[in-house]
Amino acid sequence: MLRTIFAFAVAAVVMALLGSVAHTWFVQQAWIDATALTAPMAALTVEERVAWMLDDVVGLQPMYGGLTSVALLLAFLAAHVVARVTGLRTIVFSVAGAVAIFVMFTLMKETLGTVGVFGARGTSGLAAQSLAGLLAGFLFAMLTRHRTES
């Protein structure tokens, strides 16, 4: 049980970090595109990008981390049942993580009128967020696999 709780905490933190970094990347690209209209040579240095990402990692928490953690928890509970029936544990948890984040942002868009996270707007941003969920699900499956599994 402790291993499962630890694995979930690690997966949730990884989701929050990867999702936050993906969000920042898409915001930075939108900023560069917007400023290119008035300042054709607008760019961000690596240091500026990293500082912005670190600000977002801190600034988006705990709301973003909390929402994604709840989404992953619900998805992983359902995935546990499906994985027991199918035996495809790694695939099931990976897909569950991706679907959880996709559904979370889709529901937010439908109920609130916005996804709440600029970096999740558009197909690419939503795909990046879902990929972070997939990786979190994969990590959870790996950390909780039985010793006899390979």
Side-chain angles (χ1 to χ4, degrees):
M1 181 62 138
L2 285 177
R3 186 174 75 168
T4 302
I5 293 169
F6 173 76
F8 180 77
V10 170
V13 167
V14 167
M15 173 64 226
L17 290 174
L18 291 177
S20 180
V21 168
H23 154 76
T24 305
W25 177 262
F26 282 97
V27 171
Q28 289 172 347
Q29 293 309 113
W31 180 85
I32 289 169
D33 291 345
T35 58
L37 297 174
T38 56
M41 297 304 289
L44 292 169
T45 66
V46 172
E47 293 82 11
E48 290 169 328
R49 283 184 180 270
V50 170
W52 193 337
M53 285 180 184
L54 291 174
D55 278 349
D56 281 352
V57 165
V58 172
L60 287 175
Q61 309 315 322
M63 185 63 72
Y64 178 83
L67 288 172
T68 57
S69 293
V70 169
L72 289 177
L73 178 62
L74 295 173
F76 290 173
L77 289 171
H80 174 72
V81 174
V82 175
R84 290 191 90 154
V85 172
T86 65
L88 303 171
R89 202 164 180 291
T90 304
I91 294 170
V92 168
F93 277 99
S94 299
V95 170
V99 170
I101 301 307
F102 179 85
V103 168
M104 180 193 81
F105 281 119
T106 301
L107 286 174
M108 287 175 67
K109 174 71 173 163
E110 293 300 316
T111 58
L112 303 175
T114 180
V115 293
V117 174
F118 180 82
R121 293 180 189 169
T123 305
S124 297
L126 185 55
Q129 294 294 320
S130 297
L131 177 60
L134 183 134
L135 293 172
F138 177 81
L139 180 61
F140 180 80
M142 292 293 100
L143 292 174
T144 58
R145 72 179 183 264
H146 299 290
R147 297 186 200 324
T148 57
E149 295 180 48
S150 45

